[in-house]
Amino acid sequence: MPVITVGSSKGGCGKTTTVLALASEIRSAGQGVCVIDADDQLSAYNWYEKWQAKDRITVINASNLNRDIEIRAHITEAAAKYPFVIVDPAGMRSQRMQWAASLSDIWIIPQKATSLDAAATANLLDVDMEAIVGMRGGRPIPHRILFTMTNPLIMSRNERHVVNATKAKAPVFDAELRQYDAYAAMDLYGLTLEEVERDGVANAEKPRKYAAEVLAQTIEDIMAVQAEERK
């Protein structure tokens, strides 16, 4: 079953928001998903504790590991039980994120359109990528950068510069998870995006559309790699 790691070395980049948005749309598509929260902040797990439905999304607390490599056992167990697995590792450089990505079908790197986030991503693609490929026995890890928290109305000149520079260096998702209240409402009220829209908490039409597009492109990437490997 597809395993997706959403990881970055920089906090505040929209990592857990991305995880919850993807899990929400997987659930809305009628599929089950297990989120492995391996971040000490436990943002995804805390959301799950508030969430009342407990339907087709399971979040497990995997933050208390004696060794980072132990995340692999959690991934293997979850992948045997659930159609989708999403790993939310710590928002900092750690081997935990590297080990998670090494067992994943794709690595999503959330990034704000700022020079600081771009520098952190560049370092990830240089240092962490080498380690992950080594853990995978030399096999490359499919990956894409996902821009988060961009202006929903008009992109500033600085943001556009960062986006264009990033696109020239690495694969980037066509869609962005822009700065919408619906994403914040998920965490605040313990809701999925579908529930945010249903309950009228915030306008979630566009946020759901963008999350669904990211999910679709993620699945397309995974299927393309699997097809290539079968040749």
Side-chain angles (χ1 to χ4, degrees):
M1 296 295 103
V3 177
I4 303 163
T5 286
V6 180
S8 173
S9 62
K10 186 177 181 298
C13 63
K15 176 173 62 70
T16 300
T17 297
T18 299
V19 169
L20 295 180
L22 292 176
S24 291
E25 290 309 303
I26 290 172
R27 175 182 181 267
S28 294
Q31 296 292 323
V33 55
C34 178
V35 174
I36 300 174
D37 191 344
D39 190 334
D40 291 339
Q41 292 185 356
L42 288 175
S43 297
Y45 187 75
N46 291 334
W47 170 87
Y48 186 66
E49 291 282 272
K50 292 187 289 185
W51 185 49
Q52 294 184 3
K54 300 293 191 292
D55 174 28
R56 294 194 297 274
I57 299 176
T58 300
V59 182
I60 64 173
N61 180 349
S63 63
N64 188 23
L65 303 178
N66 292 322
R67 297 184 301 158
D68 288 334
I69 194 174
E70 293 175 3
I71 190 64
R72 291 170 62 93
H74 286 283
I75 294 172
T76 301
E77 182 178 355
K81 296 179 180 179
Y82 297 91
F84 286 86
V85 177
I86 304 177
V87 188
D88 183 0
M92 52 188 281
R93 170 158 293 112
S94 71
Q95 282 197 324
R96 187 173 303 183
M97 181 184 68
Q98 295 172 359
W99 283 118
S102 73
L103 275 189
S104 297
D105 295 290
I106 192 167
W107 176 21
I108 296 176
I109 305 171
Q111 177 190 312
K112 292 190 295 185
T114 68
S115 58
L116 289 176
D117 274 50
T121 296
N123 198 260
L124 274 179
L125 295 176
D126 182 23
V127 178
D128 290 73
M129 181 66 76
E130 182 178 0
I132 292 166
V133 171
M135 293 171 177
R136 289 167 61 86
R139 291 187 301 119
I141 172 71
H143 60 282
R144 276 189 190 271
I145 295 165
L146 174 63
F147 281 102
T148 62
M149 293 182 259
T150 51
N151 191 311
L153 298 178
I154 185 168
M155 188 176 293
S156 71
R157 180 179 297 178
N158 291 339
E159 285 181 326
R160 190 170 301 281
H161 173 78
V162 171
V163 169
N164 290 338
T166 302
K167 287 181 177 179
K169 297 178 181 178
V172 174
F173 281 97
D174 296 333
E176 301 170 4
L177 296 190
R178 301 178 181 181
Q179 188 75 47
Y180 284 107
D181 287 342
Y183 295 130
M186 284 193 301
D187 176 64
L188 182 61
Y189 300 105
L191 300 170
T192 65
L193 280 175
E194 182 178 3
E195 291 166 341
V196 168
E197 184 175 34
R198 179 199 67 193
D199 296 349
V201 175
N203 188 337
E205 181 180 356
K206 287 184 177 179
R208 287 195 65 192
K209 173 179 178 291
Y210 296 137
E213 289 176 358
V214 171
L215 177 61
Q217 193 165 18
T218 297
I219 294 171
E220 287 175 6
D221 284 354
I222 292 172
M223 293 178 64
V225 171
Q226 292 176 344
E228 187 65 28
E229 289 176 348
R230 287 194 295 267
K231 290 182 179 180

